[in-house]
Amino acid sequence: DTGVSQDPRHKITKRGQNVTFRCDPISEHNRLYWYRQTLGQGPEFLTYFQNEAQLEKSRLLSDRFSAERPKGSFSTLEIQRTEQGDSAMYLCASSSIRDRGRQETQYFGPGTRLLVL
Amino acid sequence: RKEVEQDPGPFNVPEGATVAFNCTYSNSASQSFFWYRQDCRKEPKLLMSVYSSGNEDGRFTAQLNRASQYISLLIRDSKLSDSATYLCVVNGGSARQLTFGSGTQLTVLP
């Protein structure tokens, strides 16, 4: 399977614990995005990387959230001191800017569903 | 006001019906437009890009009106397998991220 993969697929944690999610983008995609989706809403942008550089962060990304993409391949999203409001699906997407002349298309992974008790 | 607004539905239609979804966006600098489909508890998947001239892919037709900042999706001859949430998506201005509407839920009934 050469699509975007995410791990774990589900995570249940207690309030105050730290959690870390991993995303493996489509091979050679140089852009990687994190989104969060809550029930009944569309995904909301959190942050994005071009190669290893984090180029943009949403104001939704509080200081408890940190994302890395150290080698420009996989990425991790860490949430420290989780709160019940962090319960959501965390989606990763990747894209390539190499398809010049075409609209950049983002391909999504299956998501990590987080439940904070 | 949300950046991308959609009628949440739900739309319940019989098999074979034609159904249309509408969407408006607020950022006039938006440059790219898409419809994504999301099945229950799954990730969004690209259904089709939307171009200024309008475009068609089988039973699906998308239209864009930049002056009115309005996007539409028409599904003809609905199938049971079309049941899903349809997300209107915009990528605009200097931002690379996608901005999603809340989605329109479609159920096609036998």
Side-chain angles (χ1 to χ4, degrees):
Chain A
D1 185 351
T2 56
V4 179
S5 62
Q6 292 187 244
D7 184 69
R9 295 289 303 276
H10 300 89
K11 179 71 178 178
I12 300 174
T13 192
K14 292 183 179 178
R15 189 176 52 186
Q17 297 295 305
N18 299 343
V19 294
T20 300
F21 309 142
R22 176 179 170 127
C23 170
D24 286 88
I26 293 172
S27 179
E28 297 182 357
H29 273 190
N30 53 357
R31 287 194 172 142
L32 187 149
Y33 303 78
W34 285 98
Y35 293 84
R36 180 174 70 184
Q37 186 175 24
T38 53
L39 197 62
Q41 300 298 316
E44 295 174 293
F45 169 75
L46 293 177
T47 188
Y48 107 89
F49 294 83
Q50 180 159 314
N51 300 313
E52 66 276 7
Q54 188 173 17
L55 296 186
E56 195 158 347
K57 291 195 286 188
S58 161
R59 63 182 180 278
L60 291 176
L61 211 68
S62 77
D63 56 8
R64 296 185 298 106
F65 288 69
S66 62
E68 293 182 344
R69 195 182 182 197
K71 298 181 180 179
S73 55
F74 74 92
S75 175
T76 58
L77 177 69
E78 182 183 17
I79 309 174
Q80 295 182 325
R81 304 181 304 281
T82 52
E83 301 173 356
Q84 288 182 321
D86 297 331
S87 296
M89 171 116 93
Y90 290 83
L91 291 159
C92 176
S94 71
S95 69
S96 172
I97 61 170
R98 294 192 179 88
D99 291 335
R100 295 202 179 276
R102 301 175 61 185
Q103 294 193 101
E104 177 186 339
T105 299
Q106 294 185 23
Y107 297 90
F108 283 81
T112 295
R113 194 171 293 276
L114 173 67
L115 177 61
V116 182
L117 302 175
Chain B
R1 182 188 171 191
K2 286 188 175 181
E3 289 190 55
V4 180
E5 301 229 34
Q6 295 182 247
D7 180 345
F11 284 62
N12 299 317
V13 302
E15 260 186 300
T18 295
V19 60
F21 302 140
N22 303 317
C23 164
T24 57
Y25 61 94
S26 61
N27 184 354
S28 60
S30 298
Q31 297 176 352
S32 304
F33 309 89
F34 309 89
W35 284 99
Y36 275 72
R37 170 196 168 126
Q38 187 170 28
D39 294 296
C40 187
R41 303 182 72 81
K42 301 284 190 179
E43 74 273 23
K45 291 187 178 177
L46 179 68
L47 178 65
M48 58 196 302
S49 300
V50 186
Y51 300 104
S52 296
S53 54
N55 49 298
E56 186 174 309
D57 183 2
R59 299 181 292 107
F60 299 84
T61 301
Q63 297 278 351
L64 168 64
N65 183 323
R66 285 185 183 268
S68 303
Q69 296 179 200
Y70 171 93
I71 307 164
S72 66
L73 176 68
L74 184 76
I75 305 175
R76 291 182 300 278
D77 188 23
S78 301
K79 311 291 185 191
L80 296 177
S81 58
D82 294 334
S83 299
T85 295
Y86 290 82
L87 297 160
C88 178
V89 187
V90 169
N91 180 329
S94 60
R96 289 290 173 189
Q97 71 267 24
L98 299 177
T99 301
F100 286 79
S102 296
T104 299
Q105 185 180 341
L106 171 67
T107 301
V108 181
L109 303 168

